[in-house]
């Protein structure tokens, strides 16, 4: 029974090792190349710093040249070189520094031919995969040991780990050699600066030899990797047998491990032949051993916890939590689901075989109802559109609310998520629909027209525009009762308002603001077009602009009747202090319409119109400010006599064929200002797309 359990555990471990080897091999083989794409994209600083390297190299070249020219004055004592030769070499070196990048690109292109030829060489029986290696080893062990005993199973695990360990070290050293080539290329201007003087030219020659040696080593990397992959394919196919009848599992295994070790030490062999190659991989084994020790410590802690079900559980949980945190830091939540549904753009998860498998299962999960997390959507929406890719379809409809919390519970369709822009259609419970567009504040300017500022799950801010019958639901009018107890909420909604301002909701998109100076109406830009009447603009905390109408001028209370003329004159003079002409009587009956009229002793008159309610009149007029701060248009009228019909019982009276008239004193005004219209309700048309920043 225990043998059967142990065999299952060993089989599982060996299959895991082979799967890891498969995944890692795909990851590294896809990254191989003689171009510097991986170097530039993984380490973008080296590209930006290349110009600095060039200027530094020119400075070093200048110092070397000046110093060597200075030595010329020492004559034979200093053994100075010919100044003309020195200047010619310096000029050539300066030119090489300026064209350093095209030069090393040409050099890399030369190495591309053999590299590509080795990489693309077809093998009839080569089907490179580690899947099946553990079964072939097990069969070989069964033949040798006669039965799959515990000894054979332990030997199987040891052999698999040894093979995987050496192959993994070779892959890591391969990438280290690639990085060395990149460093040599991006520091090449410093090497070119050494070519000016006889004293420094050996440095330049050594650099040239090292570049050639490293490119040869880079090509040989493919030779070794392809050679080992064919060996694996042959072994899986024939179990290590040779055509002469000899051969065995041990012979193949020792040859394979020796081949891997030779590949790891090939830089040492080239150095022994006199080539200048960088020695790589010296401390890598120690680093991997330390990592293995850390993992084994975590495993032992977990076993201790499992054995006692108590005291050790806390430590094991801590270790597991740290491991999970490290994994989550590298691969964000459901990153493979995200990669499986993104059209274009940069992958978020791993590449190679592991990434392919992950994306395959991610696609299966997406088709079976999985949704994307806010982090996964952020990895697309927060990027530049050239690198982001696009998420669309049913999974985008279901997942967008995870990134935009204000859309929770709202059915969506036709959702498109791309870099800096999101579009979708919201279906409201009453059957109305709204077309929503969201623009990243960091990538776009503020849209023209109605927009709200919403916060995504990653903390980024987005401009939200809406169009259609249901657009109003996304620009809700806050409910205020005009009570002083709402002061804190008012300040939260409108942080810039004075503390004594009270608000009352009048209608959808309409608020009434009350202060000590009076009342005024506010109109939401999401529901109303910008009014013609004088107004200010106040932005709410959600980014919606409100048109705050200018407060209407307030008139004093005037009495009616001839007996009140003296009182009204006094009230008017106090109210309109800047009006110097003597007033005989006042008519304030139309104050609700923003009008007043006064008459003078000569029969003329003046009408006053509130500037907050009326547009500027044509012709001559004056503007007066009252004692309360309101402004009025003043239009002067001349005395006039009008002939008006005489009526009796509602019918005009005739004298013969003519209507009887009577002369009536009046005032004739040359113009009348036009009253401002009420703000128009906005038709929820699509807002104009904003301009992208930069």
């Amino acid at each position: 029974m225990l043998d059967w359990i142990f065999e299952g555990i060993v089989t599982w471990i060996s299959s895991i090792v082979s799967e890891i080897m498969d995944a890692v091999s795909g990851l590294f083989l896809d990254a191989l190349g003689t171009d510097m794409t991986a170097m530039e994209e993984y380490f973008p600083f080296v590209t930006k710093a290349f110009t600095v390297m060039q200027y530094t190299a020119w400075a070093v070249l200048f110092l070397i040249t000046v110093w060597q020219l200075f030595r010329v004055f020492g004559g034979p004592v200093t053994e100075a070189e010919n100044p003309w030769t020195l200047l010619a070499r310096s000029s050539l070196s300066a030119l090489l520094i300026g064209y350093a990048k095209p030069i090393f690109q040409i050099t890399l292109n030369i190495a591309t031919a053999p590299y590509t030829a080795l990489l693309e060489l077809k093998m009839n029986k080569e089907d490179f995969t580690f899947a099946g290696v553990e079964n072939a080893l097990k069969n070989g062990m069964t033949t040798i040991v006669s039965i799959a005993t515990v000894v054979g199973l332990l030997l199987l695990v040891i052999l698999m780990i040894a093979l995987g360990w050496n192959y993994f070290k070779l892959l890591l050293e391969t990438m280290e050699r690639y990085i060395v080539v990149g460093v040599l290329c991006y520091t090449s201007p410093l090497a070119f600066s050494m070519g000016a003087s006889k004293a420094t030219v050996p440095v330049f020659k050594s650099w040239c030899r090292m570049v050639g040696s490293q490119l040869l080593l880079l090509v040989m990397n493919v030779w070794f990797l392809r050679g080992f992959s064919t060996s694996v394919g042959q072994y899986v196919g024939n179990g290590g047998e040779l055509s002469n009848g000899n051969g065995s599992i041990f012979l193949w295994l020792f040859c394979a491990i020796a081949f891997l070790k030779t590949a790891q030490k090939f830089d040492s062999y080239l150095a022994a032949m006199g080539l200048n190659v960088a020695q790589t991989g010296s401390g890598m084994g120690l680093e991997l051993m330390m990592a293995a020790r850390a993992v084994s410590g975590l495993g032992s802690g977990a076993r201790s916890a499992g054995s006692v079900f108590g005291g050790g559980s806390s430590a094991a949980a801590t270790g597991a939590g740290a491991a999970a945190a490290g994994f989550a830091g590298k691969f964000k939540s459901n990153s493979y689901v995200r990669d499986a549904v993104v059209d274009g753009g940069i992958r978020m998860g791993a590449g190679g075989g592991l990434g392919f498998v992950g994306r395959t299962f991610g696609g299966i999960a997406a088709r079976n109802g999985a949704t994307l997390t806010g982090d996964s959507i952020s990895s697309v929406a927060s990027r530049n559109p050239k690198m982001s890719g696009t998420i669309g379809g049913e999974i985008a409809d279901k997942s967008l609310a995870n990134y935009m919390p204000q859309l929770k519970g709202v059915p969506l369709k036709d959702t498109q998520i791309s870099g800096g822009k999101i579009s979708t259609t919201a279906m409201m419970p009453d059957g109305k629909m709204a077309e929503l567009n969201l623009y990243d504040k960091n990538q776009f300017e503020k849209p023209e027209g109605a927009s709200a500022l919403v916060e995504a799950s990653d903390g980024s801010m987005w401009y939200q525009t809406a169009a259609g019958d249901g657009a109003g639901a996304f620009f809700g009018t806050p409910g205020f009762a005009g009570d002083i107890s709402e002061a804190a909420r008012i300040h939260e909604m409108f942080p810039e308002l004075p503390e004594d301002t009270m608000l009352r909701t009048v209608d959808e998109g309409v608020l009434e603001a009350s202060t000590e100076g009076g009342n005024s109406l506010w109109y939401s830009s999401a529901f109303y077009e910008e009014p013609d009447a004088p107004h200010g603009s106040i932005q709410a905390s959600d980014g919606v602009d409100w048109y705050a109408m200018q407060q209407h001028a307030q008139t004093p209370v005037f009495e009616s009747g001839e007996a009140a003329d003296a009182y009204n004159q006094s009230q008017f003079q106090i109210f309109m202090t800047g009006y110097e002409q003597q007033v005989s009587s006042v008519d304030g009956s139309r104050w609700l319409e923003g009008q007043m009229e006064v008459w003078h002793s000569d029969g003329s008159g003046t009408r006053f119109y509130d500037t907050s309610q009326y547009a500027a009149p044509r012709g001559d007029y004056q503007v007066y400010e009252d004692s309360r701060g309101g402004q009025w248009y003043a239009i002067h009228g001349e005395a006039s006599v009008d002939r008006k019909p005489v009526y009796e019982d509602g019918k005009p009276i005739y004298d013969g064929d003519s209507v009887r008239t009577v002369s009536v004193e009046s005032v004739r005004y040359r113009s009348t200002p036009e009253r401002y219209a009420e703000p128009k309700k906005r038709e929820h048309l699509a807002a104009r797309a904003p301009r992208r920043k930069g």
Side-chain angles (χ1 to χ4, degrees):
M1 181 66 178
L2 291 177
D3 289 346
W4 177 79
I5 296 175
F6 187 71
E7 180 181 357
I9 294 174
V10 171
T11 303
W12 176 74
I13 293 175
S14 60
S15 64
I16 289 296
V17 172
S18 65
E19 289 176 6
I20 292 176
M21 292 170 68
D22 244 347
V24 172
S25 65
L27 181 65
F28 279 77
L29 287 174
D30 288 345
L32 290 176
T34 57
D35 57 29
M36 290 293 104
T37 301
M39 186 77 175
E40 292 177 351
E41 294 185 0
Y42 286 160
F43 308 99
F45 175 78
V46 299
T47 305
K48 297 291 185 181
F50 186 76
T51 304
V52 178
M53 286 292 181
Q54 286 182 306
Y55 283 111
T56 304
W58 276 317
V60 172
L61 176 63
F62 176 76
L63 293 175
I64 293 174
T65 304
V66 170
W67 171 247
Q68 294 300 329
L69 288 175
F70 180 76
R71 293 180 62 190
V72 172
F73 293 101
V77 178
T78 57
E79 298 181 356
E81 56 186 295
N82 188 310
W84 295 109
T85 304
L86 176 65
L87 291 175
R89 286 180 174 177
S90 299
S91 300
L92 179 59
S93 296
L95 187 64
L96 292 176
I97 293 172
Y99 289 92
K101 192 166 187 178
I103 290 173
F104 79 66
Q105 289 288 0
I106 293 173
T107 307
L108 293 175
N109 290 338
I110 294 174
T112 300
Y115 186 98
T116 305
L118 290 173
L119 193 62
E120 296 180 352
L121 187 64
K122 300 297 183 182
M123 297 294 295
N124 293 333
K125 295 185 178 181
E126 181 189 359
D127 184 12
F128 179 45
T129 176
F130 285 99
V133 171
E134 73 278 4
N135 289 329
L137 287 173
K138 183 178 179 181
N139 294 336
M141 290 295 99
T142 303
T143 302
I144 294 174
V145 186
S146 300
I147 185 170
T149 62
V150 173
V151 176
L153 294 172
L154 285 175
L155 191 57
L156 170 64
V157 173
I158 293 172
L159 295 177
M160 283 293 296
I161 292 177
L163 188 68
W165 170 259
N166 283 279
Y167 182 67
F168 188 57
K169 285 202 299 181
L170 174 60
L171 289 174
L172 291 179
E173 192 159 348
T174 297
M175 297 309 298
E176 194 172 351
R177 293 167 181 172
Y178 172 82
I179 294 298
V180 170
V181 173
V183 172
L184 291 174
C185 290
Y186 282 98
T187 57
S188 58
L190 298 177
F192 290 139
S193 68
M194 298 290 111
S197 169
K198 288 182 179 179
T200 57
V201 75
V203 177
F204 174 67
K205 292 180 179 179
S206 297
W207 177 84
C208 291
R209 286 196 298 271
M210 178 171 283
V211 170
S213 302
Q214 287 299 136
L215 288 176
L216 173 61
L217 193 57
L218 201 62
V219 173
M220 291 304 298
N221 285 337
V222 185
W223 189 88
F224 280 111
L225 288 172
R226 292 296 304 277
F228 179 70
S229 68
T230 58
S231 176
V232 173
Q234 289 284 353
Y235 172 71
V236 173
N238 57 26
E241 294 292 335
L242 297 176
S243 59
N244 59 11
N246 297 321
S248 67
I249 177 177
F250 286 110
L251 179 61
W252 174 84
L253 182 67
F254 289 135
C255 286
I257 294 177
F259 189 84
L260 293 173
K261 287 186 173 294
T262 302
Q264 297 170 34
K265 297 178 181 178
F266 196 68
D267 50 359
S268 301
Y269 301 152
L270 292 180
M273 290 187 291
L275 296 178
N276 289 9
V277 291
Q279 299 293 318
T280 59
S282 57
M284 193 175 301
L286 180 60
E287 294 174 4
L288 292 174
M289 286 292 292
M290 292 175 64
R293 289 290 298 273
V295 173
S296 64
L298 176 62
S300 63
R303 287 193 298 273
S304 299
S307 62
V308 298
F309 295 98
S313 60
S314 177
T318 302
F327 185 82
K330 184 171 182 63
F331 303 109
K332 295 181 181 179
S333 303
N334 71 359
S335 59
Y336 288 122
V337 179
R338 175 257 190 214
D339 284 352
V341 299
V342 170
D343 179 16
I346 303 301
R347 288 175 179 169
M348 183 176 165
L354 179 61
F356 174 77
V357 174
R359 286 186 292 277
T360 300
F361 283 100
I364 295 173
R367 288 189 293 273
N368 285 273
T371 59
L372 295 171
T373 63
D375 285 342
S376 293
I377 296 178
S378 175
S379 68
V380 172
S382 62
R383 287 179 179 267
N384 183 284
K386 295 181 180 179
M387 302 178 64
S388 66
T390 303
I391 306 174
E394 185 178 357
I395 193 168
D397 298 335
K398 293 180 178 179
S399 306
L400 182 57
N402 294 334
Y403 186 60
M404 290 292 173
Q406 80 277 8
L407 298 179
K408 289 284 187 183
V410 179
L412 304 175
K413 70 173 185 177
D414 302 329
T415 303
Q416 289 287 319
I417 304 171
S418 59
K421 181 181 178 182
I422 300 173
S423 61
T424 187
T425 300
M427 295 170 284
M428 311 310 296
D430 57 2
K432 296 181 179 179
M433 305 182 71
E435 297 177 5
L436 301 181
N437 285 289
L438 297 108
Y439 303 92
D440 187 357
K441 186 179 179 182
N442 293 327
Q443 299 189 41
F444 285 90
E445 298 178 357
K446 185 177 181 181
E448 294 183 9
S451 66
L453 199 59
V454 297
E455 184 176 1
S457 62
D458 60 359
S460 60
M461 304 304 295
W462 292 68
Y463 296 116
Q464 177 178 274
T465 64
D469 296 337
F474 296 93
F475 300 100
T477 305
F480 294 110
D483 192 274
I484 193 172
S485 61
E486 299 173 326
R489 185 162 158 259
I490 292 173
H491 181 71
E492 181 182 357
M493 187 72 182
F494 299 94
E496 299 180 359
L497 280 185
E499 294 183 358
D500 63 338
T501 304
M502 293 292 104
L503 299 178
R504 183 178 67 87
T505 303
V506 177
D507 197 357
E508 186 180 47
V510 183
L511 297 175
E512 182 183 42
S514 302
T515 62
E516 293 182 357
N519 300 343
S520 66
L521 293 179
W522 292 3
Y523 295 89
S524 171
S525 63
F527 294 91
Y528 289 87
E529 297 180 2
E530 186 170 3
D532 296 327
H535 65 278
S537 182
I538 298 176
Q539 189 175 76
S541 57
D542 62 357
V544 177
D545 290 327
W546 288 76
Y547 304 124
M549 307 304 296
Q550 181 179 320
Q551 289 186 354
H552 295 173
Q554 301 294 318
T555 64
V557 178
F558 295 109
E559 302 292 340
S560 59
E562 296 181 1
D565 285 346
Y567 171 78
N568 290 342
Q569 292 173 20
S570 174
Q571 287 288 88
F572 180 80
Q573 292 297 336
I574 295 173
F575 177 69
M576 199 73 69
T577 55
Y579 191 75
E580 298 178 350
Q581 193 170 353
Q582 196 65 30
V583 174
S584 60
S585 60
V586 180
D587 180 11
S589 60
R590 302 182 67 182
W591 68 273
L592 289 175
E593 301 176 20
Q595 293 186 31
M596 287 189 306
E597 187 173 8
V598 298
W599 291 279
H600 313 116
S601 56
D602 61 358
S604 63
T606 303
R607 280 183 180 169
F608 294 87
Y609 297 89
D610 182 6
T611 59
S612 68
Q613 302 184 54
Y614 291 87
R618 297 179 181 178
D620 295 334
Y621 67 91
Q622 291 177 290
V623 178
Y624 289 94
E625 183 173 341
D626 62 39
S627 59
R628 301 178 182 179
Q631 292 188 329
W632 301 78
Y633 299 121
I635 302 176
H636 186 70
E638 300 295 337
S640 174
V641 177
D642 294 336
R643 302 291 299 179
K644 292 186 177 181
V646 178
Y647 289 87
E648 185 177 338
D649 298 330
K651 297 180 180 180
I653 300 175
Y654 287 87
D655 292 331
D657 294 333
S658 302
V659 177
R660 183 186 301 177
T661 60
V662 62
S663 297
V664 179
E665 294 182 357
S666 64
V667 179
R668 181 172 297 174
Y669 296 95
R670 296 182 179 179
S671 64
T672 301
E674 184 177 351
R675 188 181 181 89
Y676 288 120
E678 294 292 325
K680 293 181 180 179
K681 277 270 191 179
R682 184 185 295 277
E683 295 181 3
H684 289 291
L685 302 176
R688 183 180 300 177
R691 292 190 299 176
R692 190 177 287 272
K693 293 181 179 179

